[in-house]
Amino acid sequence: MVAREKLEGQPGPPNRVPVPKSVTNLPHQVREELTRRLRRNRRAFREEDVQVVEPPLLKRAVGASALGNCMEWFDFGVYSYLAATLGKVFFPGASPAAQVISSFATFAAAFVVRPLGGLVFGPLGDRIGRQKVLATTMIMMAAGTFVIGLIPDYGTIGIAAPILLLLARMVQGFSTGGEYGGATTFVAEYSPDRRRGFLSSWLDFGTFTGYALGSALVTLLNLLLTDAEMLSWGWRIPFLIAGPLGVIGLYMRLKLEESPAFQQQLDEHEKSLAQESAGSELRTIVKDHWRPLLVCMGLVLLYNVTNYMVTGFLPTYQTETLNRSSSSADVLVLIGMVWIVLLITFLGRLSDRVGRRPLYGVAAAAMIVLAVPSFLLIKADGTWPPIFGVLILSTLLACFAAPSAATLPALFPTAVRYAAMGIGFNFAVAAFGGTTPLVTEALVSLTGDDLMPAYYLMVAGAIGLVTVRFLPESAQVPLNGSQPMVGSPEEQRELISTSTDLYRVERHHTGVR
């Protein structure tokens, strides 16, 4: 027997009634959302109210998005693995510390234009479709990366070399401004509600696979080539690979169909919102969605400070601060990337079962406790302590990455989802994520304390823990502005039957006959 739930302001009947298991088995947040929709419709769901995603389309959407993301983040990630080498190629007159800082400053410059990319591509994605914008960002990233491999070094063209590098990085950053928000929106809108965490986690599986492939290639080059060969021409190889990868990624994204939510699932309220926001979308988002925007930025800060600490800063930290060889540093980070790839989809599935908030909250608290011990292990001599240190940070990073592609799009309604993601995600990454290698390297140089990266992570963990307090639970909940999504006709019939039971219970509790 389950206690009655009364509609606000209305008395329930004096007697209790059995509540069907189909209703009691619903997660609390799902029951609340379904109840809200049933009250609005004043009836149970029918077939036309529940969207069935065809398995072949779902697999193609998730697979192509993940593979395209893998290619794009291979391009973007290679730069961080070659930061120390690029500092010598493009800033040869500076001191070793200044070379690294200059290289990271160029790395961070791409993040300065990311919000601009989000402001341009986000509204476009809400108006002309997600698929078209994602194809555009794919080719722009590949072109920007390919051009870096062609830039003459400082000894050949002088100051023009770092300027051209900066421009190419800005093209990369501009395109990336529309990439993650669009890809997460696209996959989330294709995924059945019950499996959104698992299916969306494949997007970040692609991200870290791309990072791992970039790390593996740079590690291989460092093992096969001498330092002189790497400085002369070896560093160009990973960037030049971006050309053919970009063509493959573009082909895959052009073959995708637009997401069901964008094609068909806007209700009348969302349609009017889309029309209203076409000319002033930024103002509409900031005015009407500032709370979820702040939550989005807090979670992105937590995820990306950890992300760029591990992928962008850690390789150079080991070579320049701990004086380890580049090959050993690259192998250590590669181990961490492979570990994340192995964990991330399992954690995505876990977030569907236990919820997004518990996964974020436990990992953020663990970051506060484990950041310093992790860096002490990384600093330690021997083989296994540094590996354990990197694995701890990588596990925490996987806990932040796995639920993000499902959690962040669920904060916003369909009509403004791409643009809101573009704004919230890219402003947070620009301000905190992409600057992490630069800021931490500068802090280490300024203070002489090589544990400054750990303290930086602790602050990010504290901010993340506060953010989780205001995060609404979205596991298994239909996206705002979209119909409930299921993966088969059987699930559709089950949900319709459950809605009938739930509607009957609600009518009884409100005294309606």
Side-chain angles (χ1 to χ4, degrees), residues 371-427:
V372 170
S374 296
F375 269 86
L376 289 175
L377 287 170
I378 291 170
K379 289 174 53 183
D381 295 330
T383 301
W384 290 107
I387 290 177
F388 286 137
V390 168
L391 288 179
I392 291 172
L393 292 180
S394 299
T395 300
L396 296 175
L397 175 54
C399 290
F400 303 142
S404 287
T407 304
L408 301 179
L411 293 170
F412 306 103
T414 301
V416 298
R417 183 170 294 126
Y418 199 150
M421 279 287 296
I423 294 168
F425 188 88
N426 288 300
F427 273 92

Coordinates of all heavy atoms in Angstrom, one line a residue, residues 371-427:
A371 N 42.4 14.8 -4.8 CA 43.2 15.5 -5.7 C 44.7 15.6 -5.3 O 45.6 15.3 -6.1 CB 42.7 16.9 -5.9
V372 N 44.9 15.9 -4.0 CA 46.3 16.0 -3.6 C 47.0 14.6 -3.5 O 48.1 14.5 -4.0 CB 46.4 16.7 -2.2 CG1 47.8 16.6 -1.6 CG2 46.0 18.2 -2.3
P373 N 46.3 13.6 -3.0 CA 47.0 12.3 -3.0 C 47.3 11.8 -4.4 O 48.3 11.2 -4.7 CB 45.9 11.4 -2.4 CG 45.2 12.2 -1.4 CD 45.1 13.6 -2.1
S374 N 46.4 12.2 -5.4 CA 46.7 11.8 -6.8 C 48.0 12.4 -7.3 O 48.8 11.7 -7.9 CB 45.5 12.2 -7.7 OG 44.3 11.5 -7.3
F375 N 48.1 13.7 -7.1 CA 49.4 14.3 -7.6 C 50.6 13.9 -6.8 O 51.7 13.9 -7.3 CB 49.2 15.9 -7.5 CG 48.6 16.4 -8.8 CD1 47.3 16.4 -9.1 CD2 49.5 16.8 -9.9 CE1 46.7 16.9 -10.3 CE2 49.0 17.3 -11.1 CZ 47.6 17.3 -11.3
L376 N 50.4 13.6 -5.5 CA 51.6 13.0 -4.8 C 52.0 11.7 -5.4 O 53.2 11.4 -5.5 CB 51.2 12.8 -3.3 CG 51.1 14.1 -2.5 CD1 50.6 13.8 -1.1 CD2 52.4 14.9 -2.5
L377 N 51.1 10.9 -5.8 CA 51.4 9.6 -6.5 C 52.0 9.9 -7.8 O 53.0 9.2 -8.2 CB 50.1 8.8 -6.6 CG 49.6 8.1 -5.4 CD1 48.2 7.5 -5.7 CD2 50.5 7.1 -4.9
I378 N 51.5 10.8 -8.6 CA 52.1 11.1 -9.9 C 53.5 11.6 -9.8 O 54.4 11.3 -10.6 CB 51.2 12.2 -10.6 CG1 49.9 11.6 -11.0 CG2 51.9 12.7 -11.9 CD1 48.8 12.6 -11.5
K379 N 53.8 12.4 -8.7 CA 55.2 12.9 -8.5 C 56.1 11.8 -8.0 O 57.4 12.0 -8.2 CB 55.1 14.0 -7.5 CG 54.5 15.3 -7.9 CD 54.4 16.3 -6.7 CE 55.8 16.5 -6.0 NZ 55.7 17.3 -4.9
A380 N 55.6 10.7 -7.5 CA 56.5 9.7 -6.8 C 57.3 9.0 -7.9 O 57.0 8.9 -9.0 CB 55.6 8.7 -6.1
D381 N 58.5 8.5 -7.4 CA 59.3 7.7 -8.3 C 58.7 6.3 -8.5 O 57.8 5.9 -7.7 CB 60.7 7.6 -7.6 CG 61.4 8.9 -7.5 OD1 61.2 9.8 -8.4 OD2 62.2 9.1 -6.6
G382 N 59.3 5.6 -9.5 CA 58.8 4.3 -9.7 C 57.8 4.3 -10.8 O 57.4 5.3 -11.4
T383 N 57.3 3.1 -11.1 CA 56.3 2.9 -12.2 C 54.9 3.0 -11.8 O 54.1 3.7 -12.4 CB 56.6 1.6 -12.9 OG1 57.9 1.5 -13.4 CG2 55.6 1.4 -14.1
W384 N 54.6 2.3 -10.7 CA 53.2 2.1 -10.3 C 52.5 3.3 -9.6 O 51.4 3.6 -9.8 CB 53.0 0.8 -9.5 CG 53.2 -0.4 -10.3 CD1 54.3 -1.3 -10.3 CD2 52.3 -0.9 -11.3 NE1 54.1 -2.3 -11.2 CE2 52.9 -2.1 -11.8 CE3 51.1 -0.5 -11.7 CZ2 52.3 -2.8 -12.8 CZ3 50.4 -1.3 -12.7 CH2 51.0 -2.4 -13.2
P385 N 53.2 4.0 -8.7 CA 52.6 5.2 -8.1 C 52.0 6.2 -9.1 O 50.9 6.6 -8.9 CB 53.7 5.7 -7.2 CG 54.5 4.5 -6.8 CD 54.6 3.7 -8.1
P386 N 52.8 6.6 -10.1 CA 52.3 7.6 -11.1 C 51.1 7.0 -11.8 O 50.1 7.7 -12.1 CB 53.5 7.8 -12.0 CG 54.7 7.6 -11.2 CD 54.3 6.4 -10.3
I387 N 51.1 5.7 -12.1 CA 50.0 5.1 -12.8 C 48.7 5.1 -12.0 O 47.7 5.5 -12.5 CB 50.3 3.6 -13.2 CG1 51.4 3.6 -14.3 CG2 49.1 2.9 -13.7 CD1 51.8 2.2 -14.7
F388 N 48.9 4.8 -10.7 CA 47.7 4.8 -9.8 C 47.2 6.3 -9.7 O 46.0 6.5 -9.6 CB 48.1 4.3 -8.4 CG 48.2 2.8 -8.4 CD1 49.3 2.2 -7.7 CD2 47.3 2.0 -9.0 CE1 49.5 0.8 -7.6 CE2 47.5 0.6 -9.0 CZ 48.5 0.0 -8.3
G389 N 48.1 7.2 -9.6 CA 47.7 8.6 -9.5 C 46.8 9.0 -10.7 O 45.8 9.7 -10.6
V390 N 47.3 8.7 -11.9 CA 46.6 9.0 -13.1 C 45.3 8.3 -13.2 O 44.3 8.8 -13.7 CB 47.5 8.7 -14.4 CG1 46.7 8.8 -15.7 CG2 48.7 9.7 -14.4
L391 N 45.3 7.0 -12.8 CA 44.0 6.3 -12.8 C 43.0 6.8 -11.9 O 41.8 6.8 -12.3 CB 44.3 4.8 -12.5 CG 45.1 4.0 -13.5 CD1 45.3 2.5 -13.0 CD2 44.3 4.0 -14.9
I392 N 43.4 7.4 -10.8 CA 42.4 8.0 -9.9 C 41.8 9.2 -10.6 O 40.5 9.4 -10.6 CB 43.1 8.4 -8.6 CG1 43.5 7.2 -7.7 CG2 42.1 9.3 -7.7 CD1 44.3 7.5 -6.5
L393 N 42.6 10.1 -11.1 CA 42.1 11.3 -11.8 C 41.2 10.9 -13.0 O 40.2 11.5 -13.3 CB 43.2 12.2 -12.2 CG 44.0 12.9 -11.1 CD1 45.1 13.7 -11.7 CD2 43.1 13.7 -10.2
S394 N 41.7 9.9 -13.7 CA 40.9 9.4 -14.9 C 39.6 8.9 -14.5 O 38.6 9.1 -15.3 CB 41.8 8.4 -15.7 OG 43.0 8.9 -16.1
T395 N 39.5 8.1 -13.4 CA 38.2 7.6 -13.0 C 37.3 8.7 -12.6 O 36.1 8.7 -13.0 CB 38.4 6.7 -11.7 OG1 39.3 5.6 -12.1 CG2 37.1 6.1 -11.3
L396 N 37.8 9.7 -11.9 CA 36.9 10.9 -11.6 C 36.5 11.6 -12.8 O 35.3 12.0 -13.0 CB 37.6 11.8 -10.6 CG 38.0 11.2 -9.3 CD1 38.8 12.2 -8.5 CD2 36.7 10.9 -8.5
L397 N 37.4 11.8 -13.8 CA 37.0 12.4 -15.0 C 36.0 11.6 -15.8 O 35.0 12.2 -16.3 CB 38.3 12.5 -15.9 CG 38.1 13.1 -17.3 CD1 37.3 14.4 -17.3 CD2 39.5 13.2 -18.0
A398 N 36.1 10.3 -15.8 CA 35.1 9.5 -16.4 C 33.7 9.6 -15.8 O 32.6 9.6 -16.4 CB 35.5 8.0 -16.4
C399 N 33.7 9.8 -14.4 CA 32.4 10.0 -13.7 C 31.8 11.3 -14.1 O 30.5 11.5 -14.1 CB 32.6 10.0 -12.2 SG 33.0 8.3 -11.6
F400 N 32.6 12.4 -14.4 CA 32.0 13.6 -14.9 C 31.6 13.6 -16.3 O 30.6 14.2 -16.7 CB 33.0 14.8 -14.7 CG 33.5 14.9 -13.3 CD1 34.8 15.2 -13.0 CD2 32.6 14.7 -12.2 CE1 35.3 15.4 -11.7 CE2 33.1 14.9 -10.9 CZ 34.4 15.2 -10.6
A401 N 32.4 12.9 -17.1 CA 32.1 12.8 -18.6 C 30.9 12.0 -18.9 O 30.1 12.3 -19.8 CB 33.4 12.3 -19.3
A402 N 30.8 10.8 -18.3 CA 29.8 9.8 -18.7 C 28.4 10.4 -18.7 O 27.6 10.2 -19.6 CB 29.9 8.6 -17.8
P403 N 27.9 11.1 -17.6 CA 26.5 11.6 -17.6 C 26.3 13.0 -18.3 O 25.2 13.4 -18.5 CB 26.2 11.7 -16.1 CG 27.5 12.1 -15.5 CD 28.6 11.4 -16.3
S404 N 27.4 13.6 -18.7 CA 27.3 15.0 -19.2 C 26.5 15.2 -20.5 O 25.6 16.1 -20.6 CB 28.7 15.6 -19.4 OG 29.3 15.9 -18.2
A405 N 26.7 14.3 -21.4 CA 26.0 14.4 -22.7 C 24.5 14.2 -22.6 O 23.7 14.6 -23.5 CB 26.6 13.5 -23.8
A406 N 24.1 13.5 -21.5 CA 22.7 13.3 -21.3 C 22.1 14.3 -20.3 O 20.9 14.7 -20.5 CB 22.4 11.9 -20.7
T407 N 22.9 14.8 -19.4 CA 22.4 15.8 -18.4 C 22.3 17.2 -18.9 O 21.3 17.8 -18.7 CB 23.4 15.8 -17.2 OG1 23.6 14.4 -16.7 CG2 22.9 16.7 -16.1
L408 N 23.3 17.7 -19.6 CA 23.3 19.1 -20.0 C 22.2 19.4 -21.0 O 21.5 20.4 -20.8 CB 24.7 19.5 -20.6 CG 25.8 19.3 -19.7 CD1 27.1 19.6 -20.3 CD2 25.7 20.1 -18.4
P409 N 21.9 18.6 -22.1 CA 20.8 19.0 -23.0 C 19.4 18.9 -22.3 O 18.5 19.7 -22.6 CB 20.9 17.9 -24.1 CG 22.3 17.4 -24.0 CD 22.7 17.5 -22.6
A410 N 19.3 18.1 -21.3 CA 18.0 18.0 -20.6 C 17.7 19.2 -19.7 O 16.5 19.3 -19.3 CB 18.1 16.7 -19.7
L411 N 18.6 20.1 -19.6 CA 18.4 21.3 -18.8 C 17.5 22.3 -19.5 O 16.9 23.2 -18.9 CB 19.7 22.0 -18.4 CG 20.6 21.2 -17.4 CD1 21.9 21.9 -17.3 CD2 19.9 21.2 -16.0
F412 N 17.4 22.2 -20.9 CA 16.8 23.2 -21.7 C 15.7 22.6 -22.6 O 15.8 21.5 -23.0 CB 17.9 23.9 -22.6 CG 19.1 24.4 -21.8 CD1 20.3 23.7 -21.8 CD2 19.0 25.6 -21.1 CE1 21.3 24.2 -21.0 CE2 20.0 26.0 -20.3 CZ 21.2 25.4 -20.3
P413 N 14.7 23.5 -23.0 CA 13.7 23.0 -23.9 C 14.2 22.9 -25.4 O 15.3 23.5 -25.7 CB 12.6 24.1 -23.8 CG 13.4 25.3 -23.4 CD 14.5 24.8 -22.5
T414 N 13.5 22.1 -26.2 CA 14.0 21.8 -27.5 C 14.3 23.0 -28.4 O 15.3 23.1 -29.1 CB 12.9 21.0 -28.3 OG1 12.7 19.8 -27.5 CG2 13.3 20.6 -29.7
A415 N 13.4 24.1 -28.3 CA 13.5 25.2 -29.2 C 14.8 26.0 -29.0 O 15.3 26.6 -30.0 CB 12.3 26.1 -29.1
V416 N 15.4 26.0 -27.8 CA 16.6 26.7 -27.6 C 17.7 25.9 -27.1 O 18.7 26.4 -26.6 CB 16.3 27.9 -26.5 CG1 15.3 28.8 -27.0 CG2 15.9 27.3 -25.2
R417 N 17.6 24.5 -27.2 CA 18.5 23.6 -26.6 C 19.9 23.8 -27.1 O 20.9 23.9 -26.4 CB 18.1 22.2 -26.7 CG 19.0 21.2 -26.1 CD 18.3 19.8 -26.0 NE 17.1 19.8 -25.2 CZ 15.9 19.4 -25.6 NH1 15.8 18.9 -26.9 NH2 14.9 19.4 -24.8
Y418 N 20.1 23.8 -28.5 CA 21.4 23.9 -29.1 C 22.1 25.2 -28.7 O 23.2 25.3 -28.3 CB 21.2 23.8 -30.6 CG 22.5 23.4 -31.4 CD1 22.4 22.7 -32.6 CD2 23.7 23.8 -31.0 CE1 23.5 22.3 -33.3 CE2 24.9 23.5 -31.7 CZ 24.7 22.7 -32.9 OH 25.9 22.4 -33.6
A419 N 21.3 26.3 -28.8 CA 21.9 27.6 -28.5 C 22.3 27.8 -27.0 O 23.3 28.3 -26.7 CB 20.9 28.7 -28.9
A420 N 21.4 27.3 -26.2 CA 21.7 27.4 -24.7 C 22.9 26.5 -24.4 O 23.7 26.9 -23.6 CB 20.4 26.9 -23.9
M421 N 23.0 25.3 -25.0 CA 24.2 24.5 -24.8 C 25.4 25.2 -25.3 O 26.5 25.2 -24.6 CB 24.0 23.2 -25.5 CG 23.1 22.2 -24.7 SD 24.0 21.5 -23.3 CE 25.4 20.7 -24.1
G422 N 25.3 25.8 -26.4 CA 26.4 26.5 -27.0 C 26.9 27.6 -26.1 O 28.1 27.9 -26.0
I423 N 26.0 28.4 -25.5 CA 26.4 29.5 -24.7 C 26.9 29.0 -23.3 O 28.0 29.3 -22.9 CB 25.1 30.4 -24.4 CG1 24.7 31.0 -25.7 CG2 25.5 31.4 -23.3 CD1 23.3 31.7 -25.6
G424 N 26.2 28.1 -22.6 CA 26.6 27.7 -21.3 C 27.9 26.9 -21.4 O 28.8 27.1 -20.6
F425 N 27.9 25.9 -22.3 CA 29.1 25.1 -22.4 C 30.3 25.8 -22.7 O 31.4 25.7 -22.1 CB 28.8 23.9 -23.4 CG 29.9 22.9 -23.4 CD1 29.8 21.8 -22.5 CD2 31.0 23.0 -24.2 CE1 30.8 20.8 -22.5 CE2 32.0 22.0 -24.2 CZ 31.9 20.9 -23.4
N426 N 30.2 26.6 -23.8 CA 31.5 27.3 -24.3 C 32.0 28.4 -23.5 O 33.2 28.6 -23.4 CB 31.2 27.7 -25.8 CG 31.1 26.6 -26.7 OD1 32.0 25.8 -26.9 ND2 29.9 26.4 -27.4
F427 N 31.1 29.2 -22.8 CA 31.6 30.2 -21.9 C 32.3 29.6 -20.7 O 33.3 30.1 -20.3 CB 30.4 31.1 -21.5 CG 30.1 32.3 -22.4 CD1 29.2 32.1 -23.4 CD2 30.8 33.4 -22.3 CE1 28.9 33.2 -24.3 CE2 30.6 34.5 -23.2 CZ 29.6 34.4 -24.2

